[in-house]
Structures are given as structure tokens and as C-alpha cells.
Amino acid sequence: MAFKNWLRLLIPALLAIGLYSACNKAGLNDVEIAERSAEYAFPLFSTTIGLQELMLTVLNDTLSGDTIVVNPDNTMTLYYSGDVAEKPATDIFEFFKFPDAPIPVADTFFRFPFNVPDSVYIHRADVLAGTLNVIINNKLSQPITGTFYIPQMSKNGQVFSHPFSVAAGQLSISPPLDLSGHLLLSDSNTLDFRYEAYTPDGVRVVLPESSPGIPGMGLLLNGFTLSYVEGYWGYSEYPLTLDTIDIDINQTDLKGDVRVKDPKVIMTVSNSWGFPTRGVVKYLSFIGQDGLEYKLESSVFFGDSIDFNYPSLAAGEVGQTKYTDIVLDGSNSNIADIFNAQPVQLVYEVAGISNATKDPTIEGFLTDKSTIALRMRVELVLEGSVQDFGAEQTLNLNFGDYTDLDTAKIEEVEFKLVTENGTPIATALQLYFLDETGNALDSLFVGAPQFIMEAPPIDANGIAIGSKRTETFVQMDIARFDRVRQSKSILMRNFFTTAEGGLVPVKLLATQSTTVKMGLKVKMRLGGE
Amino acid sequence: MKLHHILPVFLFLFHLQTAHAQQELLLHQQNGLWHASALNPAFFPSGKRVALGGPSYGLDAAHSGDVTYNDLLRKQGDRTFLDVGNAIGKLEPNNDVFYDQRFETVSLGLRLGAWYLQAGHAVRVNTAINYPKALAELFWYGNGPYVGQTLEIGFAVNTASWNELHLGIGRRFGDKLTLGARAKFLSGIGAMQTDDSRRQIRALTDSDIYQLSLATDYAFHSSSIVSGIDTAGLTYDLALNEIKNKFADNTGVAFDFGLQLQVSERLSVSASVLDLGGSISWKKNARYFHSQGTFEYNGIGIPGTDILNGTTDSLDFGAALDSLNDVLQFQQTDSEFTTTLPTRIYVGGSWKLTERWVLGAVLHHFNSPRRTATSVGVNAHWSPLKWLTVGGMYSVNDRSAANIGLSIVARPGPLQLFILSDNVLNAVTPYGSAAVNFRFGGALVF
């Protein structure tokens, strides 16, 4: 009976204890997350760069005279141009420069030798503009009347003449007489002035000197310009241009081996001077990356000269412009060899020589618009090969929340770099992570740059076939990642090599592009704090 | 990344617990217990006039497969850690969690001649969750191991908790038949119910450079449980249980019916249907959360021309990550909804073998919008002492064909104390079991 009474208490007590223990573990309010290893993967960035954009930017960033032309077959031609050296004829040749003071007419017939360049004989000149004042100082005691003539100058068939009448002891200055439209003819580079003066009784007189040594007649010409000059040009040398062209495609501190297929230097002369002119290349050299001078030599030149095309008077080509393109390429010069040295500058000086052959029979002409212009340019069809050609760029960097991440929790970091390359250029890359002061904290790859972008195969024309995807994984331990995520900028240094190891020329097309993108995996310890 | 801020979501899933439908086979066979009347309104302790039910707690919970409480939670000193890694290996591609909790606070029964009256209050929770293994994997291991795989991580939740006030009446007809009925007034506490037509959350981490894409057409109703979703500041915080529903805000009714037939002196049979027509209309604090769209994050897109022109000279990952957080934005609108209570049916019988031995059999059927289950069991009760009954049961249910139940009922004087489980092995090691079933409580009967 005592046992039964004891059980009456024990069993309910055991029930209560069991219930308590069953309930004790049911609450989850204070549960914590156990420590675990988790891995998160997410994209960082992606960008696509088209070759045409790239080349345009390269040009815009540097030289204003550079242009890129997309050819019909989508190949691109890069032009580096020098300034256009344009020489109006008036810069070289100065005709009929009359003195500012009146020209004294010492006699009733006076031959005035007008100013022309050496070896030039003017046979005809058309007056564009200008005025003439006839000055008469009548020292006689009676009035005079008469006419002034310029027999070589006429207009519409009428010889230039100016009647005058001057009272005794008076000074007379005619109003400005318009000379525009008059035609001057001469075969001796002289101009004849003649006058006839009569007293009231019909006696022809010579105007006496107004003072000792000063004739009684003078001519003042103002604004005298010509629209056309015709004559004989003899041998004469004059400067045309001295200029330099920067070739920035090769301007990098990085070393590389660039081989441009069929580089060209093109000298284009536009000439509306109507007489033979010979260009004399006084200096034509490239300056290499090494600072050395590489003289461009070509069989195109006769010695160092080449004759420019010109409009012929005999052929009735007055007013026309003739062009001369002198192309220096691998077939006629050593330019290909020079470009292997990655020149950074072309320096040139060109002079002109008229009638270099000294042909006495050549009649030439100039108009008031005659110019000779010379443009030198370097033409690079973007077809060639490069090996380890370098370029670099710096980008600011902000890792955001990753900067403050507790790296003690990070186990491993892996960058995934993906390139999808439609260009025939492979790229080796090295990224340098820089601090605020530009000091390198670390690099993406340990040691040398790695090929992160391979080139797709090329066809027989050197054109890339399709696109080549390259994946590169870069693992970082915590110490390295810790440094990297503190970086403020990255220096991206690329080394380009064209397809097939840079041994075969390839074509760069405007439609080709490259996509570069990167993702990140972070394996970290979570929970258990 | 602070991805651990999705912890509330995950905890929510598991806080709703490892569970399944409240079968309570053994309690049904203990028709002399006052608390058995909760399973059949026709039950009333034999020979008693007054019953005062004290607190009683019942839990029937299960996780599909073999995932146990201990797989998820482990003690380390005085700290408890959620360690999903242990459980993930045991998960099926799709997993179910069921949880039925019944907490009867107080109840009263009176026998007035042939009539019985009863009243009481209970707090109940009913939960069914279906979630993909991928969700647990993504939460626990991150997206890194699943690059290139499309993960379907949408999960379905039907959960509701409510107060239940009931009034019941029964009548004995002659010496053999007793009929009972009970009406329940339901007062919703909180609910969350995913929209079955919008259950898609598809996550893909592209194998290219790990571009993230999330396709969603996911929606759920909620009252009180989730009142807001905050995606600011790289977090993903749920506002949980911040709004409390008042007693009369969200209401419903349900009905129980039962009978007990004393076929002979030794044989009795019983049947009941519970929570018939039960539903709660959620009208207050009822919101509909909907996320629809395809969200992609491809990293910082830098136009090539910007790089070349130097107009974009900075890679700002911080700003990009801020925008990443907004990919799963939910639009919320006020929207009423209805949750239905699972209907349960019991059919049982007992054969009084001797004064000390009773044999029995019981069938239980459970039907809810997300789950239908049937279990059957045979039992034997032995009363070695007048005030002590020990019972055993073998039952088969949809989870297992080898469930051994055990009940202990003590009746010292007017006091009734009981603890029972349809699966005693799980009950004594609940944290090492994928299913837990137990009920305990006490009452005074006179």
C-alpha cells in the first residue's frame, strides 16, 4: 500500500519532469547561426570596346590632324597628317611693287623698270585694282594743257590716257584714276610713261623741274594689284614647308614589336602655279622610339627632288589646280624597315624650284589665287602584326562595402576574367593595384603578364573568324585580397600580340570589338559569432 | 553582402517547426480522459458530472525525410546554433514541414442528466510548408557552388494560428448512444498563405561572370505575421509579428460532431468529424505581397566609349551592390483572404477484454488544402492499478509503418494527468526524430 501511495506521487512527478524537458528545447528565439563556409559569386563589370571607337579615341586624345577612315571593306586607315603648307604666289613672287612716294616722270617719255623677281620676265599683267594720281607742278608763267599716256596699258583696246590742264605756277593733283581692268603688256619688265603738254600758243613743252632734281610731273600708285601675270619664269629656289608629324600609335613607354603592313608616306601637292616647279626634299626622316634618325629614302625622287604637276599656259589651263601625289611605300622606299623601329615622328622640309631645267621657252602664269600647297601624311592601313605591343590606362577604383569587409572571415577570393575577342589581337594583361599615391600595392598576376585574351583564328586575308572566348581565373589569398581591396586605382597594362604569334599580318576592321568582363567569387566564413 | 539578413526567412520556415497533422490516435482511445472530448464531443468521462480541464499541450510535427531537430539545431554550451549544413544532405528536392500545435488553456464540462455541456478555450497553430532543397542550399552555402544552375527557391507556406472558443452539447440516448456537437468561434491571431498560382522564385548565377538573375512571380497573403519587407541598406528584413490582431478582427467558425455507441458491454465504437467547415476570414491587417518580374544584375556596365573617353574612370562596386538589393521588391496591397482549417475524422472502437485490459483500433483521416493523410492504429490499455493506465499502440501513417505509441494516464483522486505519444521513440528523443507527436495535460473530474 505504501508502494502504491509512493507511485501516486512519483508518476505524476516523472510526467512533469518529462514534460519540462520536452518543452525546454523547443524555443528558437535565441538561436544563432552556426559558423559555416559559404561562397558568393557575383559579376563585377563588363565593357565592350570597338576597334573603331578605340582608334578614334586614340586619335582624338592626341593629335588634331589625325583621322581614321573606314574603308568600304571595313578595314581602317589611319592618317597622321602634318599641317598644310600653303604658299600663295604673292608670298613668293612680288610684282610691280611701286614706291610709296610719287614716281618722278623726268621727261615726256619715261621708261620705268618695275619690280619683278629675279629671272622672271613679265609679258602680260592684268590689273585687278589700283589707282593712279597724276601730279603736275606747273612752274611756267602760263597755263598748260596736255595728256598723260601709259602706252603699254589699255582697257578694252583703249590706251590709258589722262588729259590735264594746269594754271601757271599751280600744282595739280588729279583725282585717283581707276586702273582696274587694265591690261599691261611688256616684254622687258619696264613700263613706259609719256605725256604731251602745250602752252596756250600751242608750243609743246617739257614740264620744268619744280625744284632742282624734282621733275614737274610725278605718278602716285595706290593699291596696285594684279589678277594675272604671264611671262617667263627662270630658275629660282624658295622655301615651301618645314614641319613634323607625330605618330602617336607608337608613342608609349612600353616596348613592343609593331609591324605595320605597307605603311606609306604620301606627299600631296596641289599646285595652281602656272609654271614648272620642282620640289626639293631637303629633309625627310623619321625619328624612332630610340631617338635615332631614320632617313626615308625613295627611288621616287630624282636625287632628292620631284617635279610637281602644274597647269600649263600652253594647254590653256589657267585657273586650274594640278595635283601631285608622291607615295613612298615599301615598293619604292625603305619605309617598311623604318616602321619596324616604331617611329614616333616624321620630320620633313621641302623647298620649291621654278623652272629647274632652266628652259627658256617656257611661258608661265600666276593668278591672284595661285597657290601651291603641300601636305605630308603618314598612312597606315590597320593591317600588320604586333608582338607584345604595350598600352596602359589608369582607372579609379572603389570597392565599396568590400573595403570594410572583415577579411578575417574570408577564406578565398577568385576573380574570373572573361574576354570575348572578335579582333585578331591577343592580349596579355597585368593589373597593378595602386594606393592613393600611385604606389603599387599588388598585381593581378604574380610575375609576368598573362594572356587573358586570345585571338580567334584568321582567314587568308588576315581577318578574324568569329570570336574567341578566354577565361582566366585568378585566385588570391587573403593577404593579397586585403591589399587589393584597399586600392584606389588600377593601372591596366596591356601587351598586344596579333594572331599566330604576331608573325602574320592581320586586318583590323571597324566592326570588330572586344568584350572584357569580370566576376568575383568570395568564399568566407559566416555565422558563429 | 550581409546575406545572413535573410535569416529571418529561414528561421521563419523552421520556427514553424518540424511537424505534421495532429493525429492523436492514443488520446482518442482514452475516452475516459476529459481532454479526449476535444477529439469527440460525444466523449465525457464515465460516471463524472463535472470536468475542469487544465492546460493541455499537444504537438504533432514532422519533416519529410529524416531531418530531425538535432540536424538543424545543436547546443554548444548555453548557446543554440542553427546548423543547416547537417540537414541539407538529408533533404529531398522538395520537402514538407507540418506542424500542428494545440494548447488548451481551460475547459469545462457538465453532465446534466442525459445532457452534457462543455466549453473551453484553446490556441492552435496549423502549418504546412513545402520548400525546395535549393533554398536551404542557397541560404547556407551561398550561390557560389551553384553557378550555372537554375535554382527554384520558391516555397509554399500555409500557416495560421488562432484562438478557439467552443461551446458544446451532448446527449445520451438510452444506454448505448451518445451524440455530441460543438461550435467553435475562431479568432485569428496571424496567418500567412502563399498564393499557389504564384510560387516562382527562380535564381540563376550565370556561369559567364556570375551574372545574377532572379525571375519571380511570387505572392503571399499575410496578416500580422509579415507586415513589411525592408530591402534598404543591403538587408532583407521582414517585419514579423509587429502588428497584433485584436480578438474580433479576423473571425471564423468551425463545427465538431461526434458519436459514441456502446454496442455491447465490452464493445464500444465512436466516430467524430472535427473542424468541419472551419475557416477564418482575414480582414484586418490583411495584406497581399507580390513580387513579379525578372531582375538581372550584370555588374557594372561600362560603355567602351566611356572608358576610351575617360568619362567613366571609376569602378564603383559599392553603388552597384546597393542596387542589387532591390531585386526582390514586393508590392503590398490590402487584400482580404481566407484560411481553411483542416478537417479531421476519427473512427475508433474498443473491446474490453478484462477489467484491466482494453483492446482497440482507430482510424484518423486528415484533410487540408495542402495535405491529406490517413493513419490507423491498434492499441491495448492495461490498468495495473485502479488509478493508473498504461497504453500501447502500433500505428501506420503516411510517414511510417512502424510507430509505437505509449500512453500513461494517472488518476489520483479527481486529478487526471496524462502524457501520451503516438510515436514514443520520437517523443522521448524528439530532437533526434523527424516526427514528433505528444500530448500531455491535466484535468479535475468529479
Side-chain angles (χ1 to χ4, degrees), chain A residues 304-519:
Chain A
D304 58 359
S305 304
I306 191 164
D307 291 332
F308 300 154
N309 295 327
Y310 67 99
S312 167
L313 177 64
E317 295 171 337
V318 175
Q320 295 184 18
T321 299
K322 296 288 187 178
Y323 296 91
T324 306
D325 286 327
I326 300 105
V327 179
L328 309 181
D329 57 21
S331 66
N332 58 25
S333 74
N334 61 341
I335 190 170
D337 295 334
I338 291 176
F339 260 79
N340 291 339
Q342 299 172 40
V344 297
Q345 197 173 57
L346 174 65
V347 183
Y348 58 94
E349 181 180 3
V350 180
I353 298 175
S354 61
N355 197 1
T357 59
K358 300 179 180 175
D359 183 349
T361 66
I362 293 179
E363 283 283 301
F365 69 89
L366 282 177
T367 71
D368 58 325
K369 296 181 176 60
S370 289
T371 60
I372 186 166
L374 184 147
R375 166 176 277 185
M376 193 79 84
R377 61 182 180 176
V378 177
E379 176 183 313
L380 305 176
V381 177
L382 292 178
E383 179 179 1
S385 61
V386 295
Q387 286 180 323
D388 296 331
F389 177 69
E392 62 185 44
Q393 186 175 15
T394 302
L395 290 173
N396 290 331
L397 192 64
N398 177 8
F399 273 94
D401 275 11
Y402 295 102
T403 305
D404 302 324
L405 205 63
D406 181 6
T407 52
K409 293 288 186 181
I410 298 176
E411 296 179 316
E412 189 176 281
V413 170
E414 182 183 79
F415 290 93
K416 181 179 184 182
L417 182 63
V418 175
T419 57
E420 291 166 348
N421 184 19
T423 76
I425 303 174
T427 302
L429 171 76
Q430 180 60 288
L431 292 182
Y432 296 94
F433 299 92
L434 310 179
D435 64 12
E436 298 90 341
T437 59
N439 295 319
L441 299 171
D442 208 328
S443 58
L444 183 63
F445 300 112
V446 177
Q450 291 189 15
F451 268 99
I452 52 94
M453 185 170 79
E454 295 176 15
I458 56 173
D459 61 17
N461 296 316
I463 296 174
I465 304 170
S467 177
K468 176 74 173 180
R469 179 183 171 93
T470 308
E471 296 183 355
T472 306
F473 295 89
V474 181
Q475 289 185 325
M476 282 191 181
D477 59 27
I478 303 312
R480 290 188 64 211
F481 181 66
D482 213 12
R483 288 194 296 272
V484 165
R485 72 195 177 93
Q486 301 297 336
S487 63
K488 301 302 179 189
S489 61
I490 51 175
L491 171 62
M492 186 163 57
R493 192 165 282 179
N494 296 287
F495 300 87
F496 302 106
T497 298
T498 47
E500 301 189 10
L503 300 176
V504 178
V506 298
K507 285 181 179 172
L508 304 186
L509 305 185
T511 51
Q512 292 170 340
S513 65
T514 293
T515 297
V516 180
K517 44 195 175 181
M518 182 178 275

Side-chain angles (χ1 to χ4, degrees), chain A residues 15 25 32 40 396 416 517, chain B residues 3 69 82 207-208 419:
Chain A
L15 288 176
K25 205 173 178 179
E32 301 172 58
Y40 298 101
N396 290 331
K416 181 179 184 182
K517 44 195 175 181
Chain B
L3 289 179
Y69 183 102
L82 173 69
S207 57
D208 184 18
I419 181 167

